[in-house]
Amino acid sequence: MTSRTFTRISNLIHLFLMLSLVFSGNILQRVTSLGINYGQVGNNLPSPDKVINLLRSLRITKTRIYDTNPQILTSFANSNIEIIVTIENQVLPMLQDPQQALQWVNSHIKPYVPATRITGIMVGNELFTDDDSSLIGYMMPAIINIHKALVQLGLDRYIQVSSPSSLAVLGESYPPSAGSFKPEVSSVMQQLLAFLEATKSPFWINAYPYFAYKDSPKEIPIDYVLFNRNIGMTDPNTRLHYDNMMYAQVDAVAFAAAKLGYRNIEVRVAETGWPSKGDAGEVGASPMNAATYNRNLMMRQFAGEGTPARRNERLDVYIFALFNEDMKPGPTSEKNYGIFRPDGSLAYNLGFSTMSTTTANSESVTYSSSATKAKRNLEYWTILISAMIQVVMSRLF
């Protein structure tokens, strides 16, 4: 039996096992690896209670916000939706003082738990970029002080502390096995990884294949960045095959962490997405590409897929973003990452009929009859089954 035949047989077995999980109902735990970012930089966004209804209709149980908005945290009480909050970058200098960190947790976190399921605190966002390295020095003292405050208040068992990085922290990322951190952040990354290992917390990255494609559309195949079927690439050092760029980016971070001695740190994706509209020079920003990227990503999440380097560990991913945000600075693309418009209508057709009539303006998510509910459940399970078949078949051929 050739190795190729053996691989095909193994993948068929994998498919049958996944289908058995679907029919036993156990596959639901796999879908929890999908979350969505809930940005608020807009003047026309729906109220938090309507956002809750929207998330429920999508069967999404995880979200992340970019602050600690009291209205959102209050509204999400008893919703059973997990929420990650963010400490804004400009607050980090204040948190160098342990007492200020304790006061921050007392005022921004403690009043809302346990009714609101706050599961994580992001200390800043992308504190190191190619254009600005001034904030990275504040990261570790702030992380340590926030965690100590959580311990003091008895909340550390429920709330993880981390900080999402952009791929700018990597000095090398291709092939994935060559992944390594830039020398100027290596010491800080070592400290962060040690903290994450000690607290059993994940390393979060913001991974945007769109940016790579926009900068080099002639060199990077569009199907490779959109999760479409393509020949992909094989890492010459590990012989691992990659059929999409996002998985390669995630594994590059995992290999970079391993080079610093941390081989078991879980890597999660805090942000990934594709803009549906852009300026003249923003190649690839279109409704069709945005729909393709997010649909294919969601299908893989429904299938509980892992990266080539960690095939048996599902990858947690938060899509960016829930809504288009008309007040964001920067190019047109920055305002158009949302799956939904502010009125709750889809910004583009994702191809899932269960989402086609969903609106955030609905006062509640109800079913007119048991037949309608059964139809929606059937559609949902059809998506899951087709997702798993699609993923496995892509490995067979």
Side-chain angles (χ1 to χ4, degrees), residues 144-161:
I144 291 170
N145 288 339
I146 288 293
H147 177 69
K148 285 181 177 178
L150 291 172
V151 171
Q152 188 172 335
L153 297 172
L155 300 176
D156 59 301
R157 291 174 295 172
Y158 316 106
I159 302 174
Q160 295 179 322
V161 183

Side-chain angles (χ1 to χ4, degrees), residues 10-132:
S10 298
N11 284 327
L12 282 173
I13 294 172
H14 186 207
L15 171 61
F16 290 131
L17 287 174
M18 289 194 297
L19 290 176
S20 69
L21 284 172
V22 167
F23 294 115
S24 68
N26 292 331
I27 196 65
L28 275 175
Q29 64 182 359
R30 292 177 177 266
V31 187
T32 62
S33 61
L34 178 66
I36 196 162
N37 287 279
Y38 172 13
Q40 306 151 57
V41 189
N43 59 9
N44 53 358
L45 299 179
S47 62
D49 58 314
K50 292 178 179 177
V51 172
I52 291 172
N53 291 329
L54 178 59
L55 293 175
R56 283 174 172 167
S57 71
L58 300 176
R59 298 176 184 258
I60 290 177
T61 61
K62 294 181 177 182
T63 191
R64 175 195 171 199
I65 59 176
Y66 291 83
D67 54 18
T68 51
N69 186 312
Q71 184 183 6
I72 292 177
L73 294 180
T74 300
S75 297
F76 273 66
N78 303 310
S79 67
N80 208 34
I81 294 174
E82 296 181 15
I83 186 166
I84 295 174
V85 302
T86 305
I87 302 175
E88 299 95 321
N89 288 359
Q90 64 269 23
V91 178
L92 266 58
M94 179 188 75
L95 301 179
Q96 308 302 288
D97 179 351
Q99 285 304 118
Q100 291 289 336
L102 178 61
Q103 182 177 334
W104 188 92
V105 174
N106 259 317
S107 60
H108 291 80
I109 302 297
K110 188 178 179 182
Y112 305 104
V113 294
T116 301
R117 293 190 63 192
I118 300 174
T119 58
I121 298 175
M122 297 293 203
V123 178
N125 186 53
E126 296 190 349
L127 296 177
F128 176 87
T129 67
D130 289 327
D131 300 321
D132 184 8

Side-chain angles (χ1 to χ4, degrees), residues 162-384:
S162 191
S163 182
S165 299
S166 75
L167 291 173
V169 298
L170 293 181
E172 296 289 340
S173 61
Y174 184 87
S177 61
S180 61
F181 293 111
K182 289 179 177 175
E184 57 265 43
V185 299
S186 183
S187 176
V188 176
M189 290 296 109
Q190 178 91 35
Q191 296 173 54
L192 175 61
L193 290 165
F195 171 84
L196 297 178
E197 183 178 68
T199 59
K200 296 180 173 58
S201 301
F203 188 107
W204 292 92
I205 62 161
N206 297 339
Y208 286 94
Y210 163 72
F211 293 138
Y213 177 76
K214 177 177 69 70
D215 293 340
S216 305
K218 293 182 180 180
E219 289 77 32
I220 299 176
I222 185 67
D223 288 331
Y224 181 64
V225 292
L226 292 179
F227 295 96
N228 284 330
R229 184 171 296 183
N230 66 97
I231 60 173
M233 60 82 65
T234 298
D235 189 310
N237 301 314
T238 61
R239 307 309 301 169
L240 293 172
H241 183 263
Y242 291 84
D243 65 358
N244 69 86
M245 180 177 284
M246 194 191 80
Y247 285 3
Q249 292 174 334
V250 171
D251 279 353
V253 173
F255 278 107
K259 286 182 174 65
L260 293 181
Y262 299 92
R263 298 182 177 278
N264 299 314
I265 297 291
E266 181 184 2
V267 179
R268 297 181 182 178
V269 178
E271 294 180 15
T272 191
W274 198 283
S276 60
K277 187 178 180 180
D279 296 320
E282 296 187 288
V283 180
S286 70
M288 179 179 295
N289 286 342
T292 301
Y293 184 85
N294 284 316
R295 178 176 61 249
N296 287 342
L297 172 60
M298 292 170 74
M299 294 283 273
R300 288 171 182 260
Q301 288 302 109
F302 289 147
E305 196 172 51
T307 67
R310 296 178 174 178
R311 183 72 71 187
N312 297 322
E313 301 175 19
R314 72 182 185 212
L315 175 66
D316 275 37
V317 174
Y318 281 66
I319 293 175
F320 188 87
L322 189 57
F323 297 111
N324 285 337
E325 300 171 76
D326 65 342
M327 295 177 65
K328 291 196 73 171
T332 298
S333 62
E334 286 296 314
K335 302 174 175 63
N336 290 279
Y337 274 89
I339 292 178
F340 292 91
R341 301 185 183 94
D343 66 0
S345 62
L346 281 167
Y348 42 82
N349 182 14
L350 274 168
F352 297 153
S353 60
T354 52
M355 301 173 69
S356 60
T357 58
T358 300
T359 66
N361 288 327
S362 302
E363 291 300 320
S364 62
V365 178
T366 59
Y367 298 100
S368 57
S369 67
S370 58
T372 302
K373 183 175 181 179
K375 181 175 181 293
R376 291 198 177 188
N377 282 334
L378 178 61
E379 291 174 339
Y380 178 72
W381 289 112
T382 300
I383 290 171
L384 291 183

